[in-house]
Amino acid sequence: MTVTADAKTGDELAPREDLVTLTIDDVEVSVPKGTLVIRAAELIGIDIPRFCDHPLLDPVGACRQCLVEIPDAGNGRGMPKPQASCTIEVAPGMVIKTQVTSPVADKAQHGQLEFLLINHPLDCPICDKGGECPLQNQAMSHGNGETRFTDVKRTYPKPINISAQVLLDRERCVLCARCTRFSEQVAGDPFITLIERGALQQVGIYERQPFESYFSGNTIQICPVGALTSAAYRFRSRPFDLVSTPSVAEHDACGSAIRVDHRRGIVMRRLAGDDPEVNEEWITDKDRFAFRYGRGEDRLTRPLVREDGALRPASWPEAIDVAVRGLAAAGSSVGVLTGGRLTLEDAYGYSKFARSVLGTNNIDFRSRPHTAEEADFLAATVAGTGPLWGDWGVTYAELERASSVLMVSFEPEEEAGTVFLRLRKAFRKKGLTSWTLAPYLSNGARKMGATLIPTVPGAEASVLEHLPADVVLDSRSVILVGERAAQSSGALSAVLSLSQQTGARLAWIPRRAGDRGAIEAGCLPNLLPGGRPVSDAAARIDTATTWSVDAVPSLEGRDADEMLISAANRELAALIVAGVDPSDFIDPQVAIDGLEAAGFVVSIEARASLVTERADVVFPVSLIEERAGSFMNWEGRHRRFEVVIEKNNSMTDLRVLSALADGMGSDLGLRNAARARAELLELGRWEGQRPAAPRIEPARVGRPGHGTAVLATWRLALDASRALDGEGPLRATARTPVARMSARTAADGGVDGRVIIGNDRGSLTLPVEIVPTMTDGVVWVPNRAPGLAVSEHLAASAGDIVTIGPAAQPDAEPVDRTGAGS
Amino acid sequence: MTDLLTPVLTANWGDERAWKLVNYERVGGYSALRKALVMEPADVVGVVKDSGLRGRGGAGFPTGMKWSFIPQDNPKPKYLVVNADESEPGTCKDMPLMMASPHTLVEGVIIAAYAIRAAYAFIYVRGEVLHVVRRLQQAVREAYSAGYAGRNILGTGYDLEIVVHAGAGAYICGEETALLDSLEGRRGQPRLRPPFPAVAGLYASPTVINNVESIASVPAIINGGADWFASMGTEKSKGMTIYSLSGHVNSPGQFEAPLGITLRQLLDVAGGIRDGHQLKFWTPGGSSTPLLTAEHLDIPLDYEGVASVKSMLGTKALQCFDETTSVVRTVLRWTEFYKHESCGKCTPCREGTWWLVQILKRMEAGHGEEGDIEKLLDLCDNILGRSFCALGDGATSPITSAIKFFREEFEAAMHTPAWELFPYERSTIFVREPAAATTSAGAH
């Protein structure tokens, strides 16, 4: 095959100027300049065996498996020795002879495979990789049938943990250095490296720094043998017993492609899918390992209704009847809290149910700190945009091509791992310039080569208005703003005006998989589906027509905080709650008060929670793996997935809502996800006047006085999230919780070793890490470290003033001041 | 007979405290530097080019040409790195040179660095030879105090910092790119080429890496002129060089002679093979060069002459073995060295040497199996030219050449232990013949 473009096929396939023509096994092929010989051969269907080579890692030429003959290097001269085709770039006129036409190359490859096998154990029958092993496969295709090694194999004690999650069987390792190169190059976490030499060379860790990387699981997937295995999957199943289903990761807003492997109706493991446009071949450890959260005792299996103050199991018809009676009594005095984990289709169901059945705009997906400014920002710039509607905004590829990137209230490594990997790649390969508005330069930001623009939490807006002179943004720049910007008054307004002034494009990156879709579905008090403003009569008519209802309510609804407060004040009669955890709010007590005071609470959930405990009716719904649907990732890219595990009578949110609507005398018209998606697309996006952008003045930031500091906090990728329940080894690779502050802040607060951070609500005690880049007067804490959730202990958000003071060392013996014998 | 020798680098080795600066200056030391510093750097490169000096570390690449590869329009700093990681089995020329006359090297370093416009020069010395490291450090200190190194050298405005760096004991660090990795503080493993060190070497900057002897030859070339240097040696292998004779030789040691001298001539100077014995086999340039036998005594020891008999001049480490020596045992010892020193990066060298040692060990014990010889040759074929760097290639040289010349000894290894065929104590210098020969049974 000659890869040339036909001019008639369109602009995208314009002929490339930089093609190089060479001959591989007597076949002429034209490939882009810089292509490696091994990949040029792939284009004509010749599979050269390889171990160390990986298209997303820098070439190393270590395994020598891919040797080919080069009778002509393009300059008329041949190369005297066989060459590693994974390290040689094509040249015009080059002649390559692979194992197909060259006996020399074929013997060289057989020889290397024989060498690799002499010290490799014959434990394929008990090896996790057996059946999907590149070494096994290539030994069959390019190896000798019989061994002539009669001597002694190298052995090691089995296996060693290189982290709580990743285990290493050294005798299986073929020392291809894929794992070490991935960690160093792609993830930027060079915690594993090759140590020792000769045949005793092995992958090792620095004894005081285990392999704690958020991306460590990728090394297991790219290991060409069974040397790296996970504590989660080791010895659990054989590849040939597994059924694989492509899907999409549900733990963040990246929309990463995954492959879900299941056996007899149980998911055994998850792997990264191969999607060059999105996650390339990498996923985070959370996406890979966190999938057992629905298998605990807290999984809801039957509907529950409250009777005499206690919840008891009920049949579906009874529970529906109870819920219908309760909701009918409440009329339109209902609030709907949908959370950030719903599929686009489910979110659309809630949005339609609230408007067309309940008759209210009281709906909000934001179970996290939020403001009216944010709702306006989302309505003005995010809703009704994106590939679902035919226009591409900022994409992963655009991030890689950007001239510069400015991050505001956004820590990619913690909040959107795939975005982090792409930004790091752009930094490594193209020297991407980036800046981050943050209180300190996090390790993740450092790995992307970002420059810190020191920002006290809450002061984002004023910092954005007075950016340092060397921050130059142009039309090829991208501003990435995280959902945490909502915690800083004026920040989103300032981001918008910066984008307008400089022409830099803007992308809003939420933290949860369902957030972006919920906006499109209209799970906001000011927005109908497709970015339609509630306040616009034409938008309401549009919606009502498609829904075949007389009208949709015209008053903007309450946001999540207002709904909970209203419920607590008995201004709202009922709440419908899906996928919301009270501790996601700044003050969980407000949420709990609202739930407890509300006259009637319907909870639609998969697992028992603080919400289901306080509900009057609980509907158990299926896990994500048991339903079809789609997420919209931060790009607005529509990420569809099908059912992984078929369950009889699997109840989705849509089916519950449909049944409730039926009971209330309406037809929701959304029998399944496909129907919901079709209706949303039929409704289309809003083509009318977009709502005005918010213009909130920068907030005045209070200065911390003596013994106090401004609180900075964000969620870490691995923390007390309930999605990690049942994943001990994964949790064990989480960052150790520390409080970070500058040396000066610590000295001013008299803090040494451990700090107690407090306010009128409570306190948190953490070990102190002095961070040189930390802005003075700021203390950073992880938002939800196990047992140390900021919401539960301080009910505070970023930008609040907290007290700091010295705390006793945990190992200090308590002093008995009462005296012996008293 | 001694008029065969041309002591230039070794001329002052016998002097009283030859390593001291004053004594070096007394015999004309640092006069070449004064001469070079008033020349244009490019002219210094030209003189070395014209002299025909070729790399003395083994490969024989023209030194002047290597220097001219340094892109002078590259804005990055240029570096000179001296490879003093002499570890090739049998090789002992750089260490004695640095012990006896370290200033010869230091002067060469300054001239070479000036020629390529480097402001930093590194001498990477094998870590095990602490005495050499100390002597070299002392010499560099002396050169600094005398104004030959540091800021504004001899008032010319040229600045040069010289760093003596001790390695940590790895043969692979003699491979130039592994040496650079090691010098940068990493694990010494060879790098992928391209980029070549001349373009992106130390700290990804243009770098020249030369052997100690090559650099040490530079002051003499500057003083004596290219024509004088080229008047020695043969047509394509110019100049004088240091041959190290070791093994069963009456007077082993370093002999400096023009390239192209023969082993027979050198053995005459060195008092011949030890009395009562005959030469059995020898290496022309360390164990990585295919071994030769008595029939090759008259080949000229220059780059072309040794290549004509399918070996390599290498480091000119002439290890001589007499007829008491077991070839199988010798080859095993060498192969064990390569197995120990293989860095582990590439498959053929790492796994191949591991395997070869096991086969040879069996053969030494007389437990060779049918097909072992063919297996050895085939494994060597799968290593030679397939490994990442020359270490793997070198590991095969002793085996294939030994089988070529002494196949019958490998055949004997199918049934008789080497220590029975060649009682080991007979090879020692303290052996008292013939008494020792009777106590050979089982000794190993």
Side-chain angles (χ1 to χ4, degrees), chain A residues 285-304:
Chain A
D285 283 0
K286 190 172 179 183
D287 286 344
R288 183 180 303 271
F289 296 121
F291 57 84
R292 291 181 183 81
Y293 50 83
R295 298 185 196 171
E297 291 183 350
D298 59 2
R299 175 75 193 274
L300 299 167
T301 53
R302 283 194 284 176
L304 305 170

Side-chain angles (χ1 to χ4, degrees), chain A residues 498-727:
Chain A
L498 180 68
S499 161
Q500 279 153 8
Q501 284 161 26
T502 58
R505 280 169 313 156
L506 182 59
W508 176 77
I509 304 194
R511 214 178 58 80
R512 287 186 170 144
D515 283 349
R516 185 67 185 80
I519 296 169
E520 246 27 81
C523 291
L524 276 170
N526 58 336
L527 276 184
L528 297 169
R532 289 174 172 72
V534 164
S535 54
D536 192 309
R540 294 197 302 274
I541 291 167
D542 243 13
T543 315
T545 309
T546 306
W547 287 350
S548 303
V549 293
D550 295 337
V552 293
S554 58
L555 276 183
E556 285 192 6
R558 297 173 169 91
D559 69 19
D561 286 342
E562 290 165 350
M563 282 185 250
L564 289 164
I565 291 167
S566 302
N569 298 337
R570 310 204 180 256
E571 290 163 19
L572 271 184
L575 291 174
I576 299 177
V577 187
V580 170
D581 186 338
S583 61
D584 289 338
F585 294 96
I586 296 176
D587 189 348
Q589 196 54 49
V590 171
I592 288 168
D593 288 349
L595 289 165
E596 287 179 347
F600 191 72
V601 177
V602 177
S603 172
I604 303 176
E605 255 297 2
R607 297 165 64 191
S609 70
L610 294 175
V611 178
T612 60
E613 283 169 21
R614 289 162 178 78
D616 295 283
V617 186
V618 179
F619 293 108
V621 285
S622 53
L623 299 172
I624 203 81
E625 67 201 31
E626 296 160 0
R627 58 170 86 182
S630 62
F631 289 124
M632 273 177 89
N633 74 352
W634 65 271
E635 303 165 278
R637 192 186 295 263
H638 191 217
R639 306 291 281 165
R640 282 184 62 177
F641 52 89
E642 297 302 324
V643 174
V644 172
I645 306 289
E646 289 281 0
K647 284 267 168 76
N648 291 333
N649 298 318
S650 155
M651 289 300 282
T652 62
D653 298 59
L654 278 180
R655 285 187 71 182
V656 174
L657 293 172
S658 294
L660 292 176
D662 283 347
M664 296 171 77
S666 316
D667 179 7
L668 195 61
L670 306 175
R671 294 182 308 283
N672 55 35
R675 183 71 208 113
R677 193 160 55 235
E679 190 177 291
L680 175 59
L681 289 170
E682 183 192 327
L683 179 59
R685 71 161 150 180
W686 177 236
E687 303 287 357
Q689 180 73 34
R690 293 189 76 86
R695 285 171 187 278
I696 305 290
E697 290 300 311
R700 295 191 68 85
V701 182
R703 287 184 164 276
H706 184 71
T708 67
V710 178
L711 181 70
T713 181
W714 50 77
R715 293 282 300 264
L716 301 186
L718 299 176
D719 60 8
S721 162
R722 291 187 72 198
L724 300 183
D725 286 355
E727 306 293 352

